[in-house]
Amino acid sequence: MGNPYFQVNQYNSKGLIYSFFHQFNITRITSPQGYNKAFFDELEGAETVTTANNKPHIIMIMGEAFSDLSDNPNLDFSNYQDPLENFKEMASSKNAVSGKIVVPGFGGGTSNTEYDVLTACPTRFLNNPLPSYNFIHQPFDALPRRLAQMGYETQAIHPGYQWFYNRKNVYPNLGFENSYFLETSFDLATQGIGGYVSDKAAMDSIIKNLDNHIKTKDTPLFSFTVTIQNHGPYGGHYGTLPKSFDTDIPLTDTQKDLLTQYFKGIRDADHELGRLRDYAQESTEPIVIVYFGDHLPGFSNGMEFFDLLNYQIDPNGTLEERLALYETPFLIWQNDAAKKESQFNETAEKAKLPASGVINAHYLGALLTQLLDMKGVSPLFDYANEARQVLPAGTNNIFVDSKGSFSDIATKEQLDVIHRLRDWQYYKLFDQTTLK
């Protein structure tokens, strides 16, 4: 069959007729009950004034399977390098806002997290097994498009195949002017590690493009990168590795190797994040770094590690433990030059983030604009920042309020938010004909 994620291989292996009707059936999405197109026509058509006095360079990176699983009392890194050393240092500074995002999937579904963050639309409310990118076939309202309207140059970097998740076509529709993929901008033979292009090569590209932009342009840059190095499976992923943590939990050699391999990838990602931070701090240009994980890793032994190491993560546990399946760390950090224009400790107070620091992924892009004191970015982004106060985090059956209280029953106000976001997403994907 070949690669099951490549639609051409599906057609070659299953035949035209089966593949066509299968694809037709799973791509059908009906309008939500109570949906009113005219209502959203009016919302989107209303006159808005965009103000963006603070326009730093924005470097947004989504780390493959990036997590804080190394923060576990049963894992001791005191005699070794902390896999999250730089991330923690940046998160604890006064220059940063950090927490966790609730992503659409566990162990996979990278493009769904991209979609949520960049569009403020929640994949979960599509109620469809296909990646959300499958439904973007024309210019779409998203963060890169809105930033481009403010004068930003926009670029996307992914050292993976351009056909994967149809990124080659989706990225321009989201408003990215330039895209750099494996086929055109990377060499797996010389830049690969563990079967994928390294995070070092990805960061080399990020810094090179940023540095060149600063030297040749007088416009701000929005750069979005999806890394790939620490993609599973993890057994023997990086070859034979030395011991990198201590534990009193009796683990087999295979189990120790899986964790060692995974944490090697996290440590490499963290090292490259530190390299970007150092570059930004040395620059006199205002630079903001956004870093987050796409999903928790999917280990070959399933949920075994989560039970063995007593993580508070359980698909059959409490509401808190079930939500934790989908939580990955995020960081929004500004260099000293950016602080002179707008300080996060002031704008974060206005944003009224929940005390837990946990928000849904589809709020992250909108939160960034709020921290940068950008107003009127888009009707949906403005609403997302309001909705976050009512339902900061949750899934289809877990609802968390601004005080951190969990429930399996949504309040009327939370249901209103869910229905508004669900309907607005449908409008943007299937009914919106004109972009402002």
Side-chain angles (χ1 to χ4, degrees):
M1 178 178 178
N3 192 313
Y5 300 103
F6 191 25
Q7 203 168 97
V8 171
N9 286 340
Q10 296 178 29
Y11 274 75
N12 287 338
S13 63
K14 299 293 185 181
L16 173 64
I17 296 176
Y18 170 85
S19 299
F20 174 81
F21 283 105
H22 173 71
Q23 197 71 14
F24 177 79
N25 283 329
I26 63 175
T27 54
R28 287 188 299 175
I29 294 182
T30 57
S31 60
Q33 184 176 1
Y35 169 73
N36 183 349
K37 177 181 180 296
F39 175 77
F40 293 102
D41 281 336
E42 184 176 349
L43 276 180
E44 292 283 347
E47 289 296 323
T48 57
V49 177
T50 302
T51 58
N53 298 321
N54 175 27
K55 294 190 282 188
H57 303 295
I58 302 170
I59 309 301
M60 178 179 283
I61 302 172
M62 184 170 73
E64 173 60 42
F66 187 81
S67 78
D68 58 0
L69 291 180
S70 55
D71 280 347
N72 183 306
N74 293 306
L75 298 174
D76 183 6
F77 292 92
S78 58
N79 295 318
Y80 312 90
Q81 182 184 358
D82 185 340
L84 293 173
E85 181 179 349
N86 292 310
F87 185 92
K88 289 177 180 177
E89 182 180 324
M90 294 171 71
S92 63
S93 74
K94 293 181 179 179
N95 299 39
V97 171
S98 63
K100 292 190 177 183
I101 53 172
V102 177
V103 301
F106 171 78
T110 294
S111 70
N112 288 336
T113 304
E114 287 179 61
Y115 167 87
D116 281 28
V117 170
L118 294 174
T119 68
C121 292
T123 294
R124 289 183 184 279
F125 298 162
L126 281 174
N127 292 319
N128 188 282
L130 288 174
S132 41
Y133 274 0
N134 279 42
F135 302 100
I136 297 180
H137 306 293
Q138 59 189 5
F140 195 78
D141 191 12
L143 182 61
R145 182 173 303 283
R146 293 294 182 166
L147 290 176
Q149 291 173 352
M150 298 179 199
Y152 276 80
E153 183 174 307
T154 59
Q155 67 177 29
I157 300 171
H158 177 54
Y161 293 108
Q162 60 188 4
W163 55 259
F164 203 47
Y165 291 125
N166 195 31
R167 288 186 176 100
K168 177 183 179 180
N169 297 310
V170 171
Y171 280 174
N173 279 331
L174 293 179
F176 287 111
E177 298 162 314
N178 299 294
S179 298
Y180 304 92
F181 295 106
L182 173 61
E183 293 91 336
T184 58
S185 305
F186 297 92
D187 179 22
L188 185 58
T190 60
Q191 297 177 312
I193 181 172
Y196 298 100
V197 172
S198 70
D199 281 358
K200 179 185 183 304
M203 189 58 71
D204 286 344
S205 179
I206 293 169
I207 293 177
K208 178 182 176 181
N209 279 285
L210 173 59
D211 195 56
N212 181 65
H213 181 90
I214 289 173
K215 291 176 179 177
T216 60
K217 306 284 181 68
D218 59 0
T219 56
L221 174 70
F222 174 57
S223 173
F224 174 69
T225 297
V226 178
T227 71
I228 198 170
Q229 174 186 319
N230 210 28
H231 197 290
Y234 299 104
H237 189 64
Y238 299 109
T240 303
L241 296 175
K243 185 179 180 182
S244 65
F245 63 89
D246 295 317
T247 182
D248 292 330
I249 302 296
L251 299 176
T252 66
D253 289 344
T254 298
Q255 291 168 337
K256 289 178 183 176
D257 180 66
L258 277 176
L259 286 174
T260 300
Q261 299 285 340
Y262 173 70
F263 289 138
K264 151 73 172 169
I266 296 297
R267 191 175 286 108
D268 285 355
D270 184 74
H271 173 80
E272 297 306 323
L273 175 60
R275 189 155 69 97
L276 178 61
R277 174 205 56 209
D278 293 344
Y279 173 90
Q281 280 295 46
E282 292 173 3
S283 176
T284 56
E285 291 279 318
I287 299 173
V288 168
I289 298 173
V290 185
Y291 201 98
F292 59 95
D294 57 351
H295 53 71
L296 292 184
F299 291 112
S300 57
N301 58 3
M303 298 301 297
E304 186 177 64
F305 279 139
F306 299 95
D307 183 40
L308 281 171
L309 297 170
N310 198 31
Y311 286 101
Q312 300 304 299
I313 300 173
D314 186 347
N316 301 307
T318 65
L319 296 178
E320 291 85 350
E321 290 171 335
R322 284 156 52 192
L323 188 69
L325 275 168
Y326 306 104
E327 293 178 6
T328 67
F330 82 85
L331 167 75
I332 305 177
W333 177 94
Q334 57 183 169
N335 70 349
D336 289 341
K339 281 182 67 177
K340 294 177 182 178
E341 297 185 355
S342 175
Q343 296 196 26
F344 282 174
N345 58 348
E346 296 176 359
T347 53
E349 187 175 341
K350 297 177 184 177
K352 297 179 181 179
L353 288 168
S356 66
V358 180
I359 62 172
N360 277 345
H362 60 264
Y363 294 134
L364 187 60
L367 171 62
L368 170 65
T369 65
Q370 191 172 23
L371 291 174
L372 294 177
D373 206 24
M374 296 175 173
K375 298 181 175 65
V377 175
S378 82
L380 178 54
F381 271 55
D382 289 348
Y383 178 74
N385 284 323
E386 296 175 14
R388 194 184 65 241
Q389 311 304 320
V390 178
L391 184 64
T395 64
N396 290 336
N397 48 26
I398 301 173
F399 312 98
V400 187
D401 66 20
S402 59
K403 297 179 181 178
S405 298
F406 282 68
S407 177
D408 57 1
I409 300 175
T411 65
K412 180 184 182 304
E413 194 177 16
Q414 289 173 336
L415 284 174
D416 289 343
V417 165
I418 291 169
H419 294 157
R420 174 72 65 88
L421 289 173
R422 178 200 64 188
D423 293 2
W424 211 331
Q425 174 173 233
Y426 182 87
Y427 172 83
K428 285 189 169 295
L429 285 172
F430 306 109
D431 276 348
Q432 188 171 22
T433 56
T434 303
L435 291 179
K436 293 181 64 176

